Amino acid sequence: MKIIKITPERALNIILQPLITEKATLISEKNNQYLFKVKNDAGKAEIKAAIEYIWKAENISVIGVNTINIKGKNKRFGRFLGKRPDYKKAYVSVKQGQNLNYTDIKLSEK
């Protein structure tokens, strides 16, 4: 995976939200992987750099990133047809023994 320099603004824009579900919790306990909803145009190297930047205070090192493009479902609201948006999901693997704490993020000002 390429090493990329990333701006703080881009790092915060790439990671949209953590996905906290039953499946995500089982994966994080078993494989030390965390799930995130990310921007559709973000690459694996950018996601890795963004995670390492956001959790820089805890010295998190990312081993690998796997991504999946999720297609939005077609939904019907009464007589109207609608579509949920497409999004990208990232499985982020961190080193053994390291944990990501979603509630205690300290961003550096540099």
Side-chain angles (χ1 to χ4, degrees), residues 66-109:
N66 297 332
T67 58
I68 301 172
N69 288 314
I70 306 294
K71 302 294 181 193
K73 294 181 179 180
N74 291 321
K75 289 293 182 177
R76 188 180 175 111
F77 304 102
R79 61 183 180 147
F80 302 106
L81 294 176
K83 184 177 180 295
R84 290 191 180 160
D86 301 337
Y87 66 94
K88 186 181 263 191
K89 190 185 334 183
Y91 288 79
V92 178
S93 302
V94 297
K95 272 190 181 176
Q96 197 66 30
Q98 294 183 342
N99 294 322
L100 297 182
N101 187 358
Y102 301 126
T103 59
D104 189 30
I105 297 175
K106 296 178 182 81
L107 298 174
S108 65
E109 297 298 321

Side-chain angles (χ1 to χ4, degrees), residues 12-79:
L12 294 174
N13 286 334
I14 288 175
I15 308 298
L16 300 177
Q17 68 186 40
L19 293 176
I20 303 172
T21 61
E22 239 179 286
K23 182 179 178 182
T25 306
L26 290 174
I27 289 172
S28 69
E29 290 172 356
K30 185 177 178 183
N31 300 332
N32 212 24
Q33 290 182 329
Y34 297 91
L35 271 70
F36 294 95
K37 189 174 182 180
V38 297
K39 283 200 161 252
N40 288 338
D41 63 343
K44 292 181 181 184
E46 277 187 317
I47 295 169
K48 176 182 177 180
I51 294 292
E52 289 177 345
Y53 174 79
I54 292 172
W55 279 277
K56 186 188 289 186
E58 298 175 16
N59 285 335
I60 296 296
S61 57
V62 175
I63 296 172
V65 177
N66 297 332
T67 58
I68 301 172
N69 288 314
I70 306 294
K71 302 294 181 193
K73 294 181 179 180
N74 291 321
K75 289 293 182 177
R76 188 180 175 111
F77 304 102
R79 61 183 180 147

